[in-house]
Amino acid sequence: QAATPPPPRVVPRLSMAARGLRALAALPPQRRLLAAVVVAGACWAPVGGAGGSRPLARRGTADKLTGVHIQCQVCKMAMKEARTRARDEDIRDESALSRLMQNLCWSTKREGQWVAMLDIERNKEGSGLLLHKKDRVGECRAECQAVQHACVKAVEGRQKAAVAMLSDLAGLAKLQNTVCERPCKKRELPPLSSRWVGEKFKVAGSAGSAAVRDADYRGLYRREEL
């Protein structure tokens, strides 16, 4: 009679905590102490962030409120960019102007690289936002996406009018007043959160030299100055 084979050996599965302790024990003494401090700090961090129970400030918030506060400024800057590019490159053809308007708000397009050159800051009073144009193209993160969204909303439904005016070589003021009438309509804006914190501008690794060379307006812009 054949002998009954022994049952397979069952290896107990270690819990996550046990595996962590085993890995901690394998570290050199100095690194073991540092790892223990880091783990303890993570376990005892207060709810709502390391600073306490209050939620952390949102940096470069690409939310609707940010877009509302910058939409008029973005629209007027977009029209200035479109007019400058159409004039400097002698763009008169309607299809080419339509393509210019389609790409104007997107930082990944040549016509829209100006979007990634903008930095959003609070004004001195702290009640509104200003656009600060840098001389180099930055990474398109939260603030850049907020500008893109504001630009798209601002020119929505006004592209044909902009193309016609660019083709007729309309002046900048007329172009801005016509296309940006809706986003620049005087109204009381919703209050900006006291926790709104601007995102630090970071220069992109592959900054497009064309966008920097073609830029003809810099500095801080208030709504009434554009």
Side-chain angles (χ1 to χ4, degrees), residues 66-151:
T66 301
V68 168
H69 274 263
I70 65 174
Q71 196 173 102
C72 177
Q73 298 175 72
V74 170
C75 182
K76 290 190 174 184
M77 294 177 78
M79 291 305 99
K80 187 169 186 177
E81 176 69 22
R83 185 175 180 272
T84 299
R85 188 171 291 277
R87 181 190 60 200
D88 292 351
E89 300 181 9
D90 196 24
I91 304 175
R92 301 288 185 86
D93 181 67
E94 185 175 335
S95 61
L97 289 172
S98 296
R99 185 165 54 252
L100 167 61
M101 289 301 302
Q102 289 172 1
N103 296 336
L104 187 62
C105 296
W106 303 104
S107 64
T108 54
K109 302 295 184 180
R110 178 173 175 269
E111 299 87 346
Q113 281 189 318
W114 64 276
V115 170
M117 299 171 72
L118 299 181
D119 188 26
I120 306 177
E121 300 175 350
R122 275 186 178 273
N123 59 17
K124 291 182 179 180
E125 297 78 17
S127 58
L129 299 175
L130 298 173
L131 297 181
H132 182 199
K133 190 167 191 296
K134 304 290 186 177
D135 57 359
R136 300 185 68 183
V137 176
E139 292 184 356
C140 193
R141 296 179 291 162
E143 289 189 2
C144 171
Q145 292 172 22
V147 173
Q148 286 184 153
H149 179 73
C151 181

Side-chain angles (χ1 to χ4, degrees), residues 146-163:
V147 173
Q148 286 184 153
H149 179 73
C151 181
V152 171
K153 293 291 290 183
V155 302
E156 187 177 22
R158 307 298 293 170
Q159 291 93 334
K160 288 185 178 180
V163 167

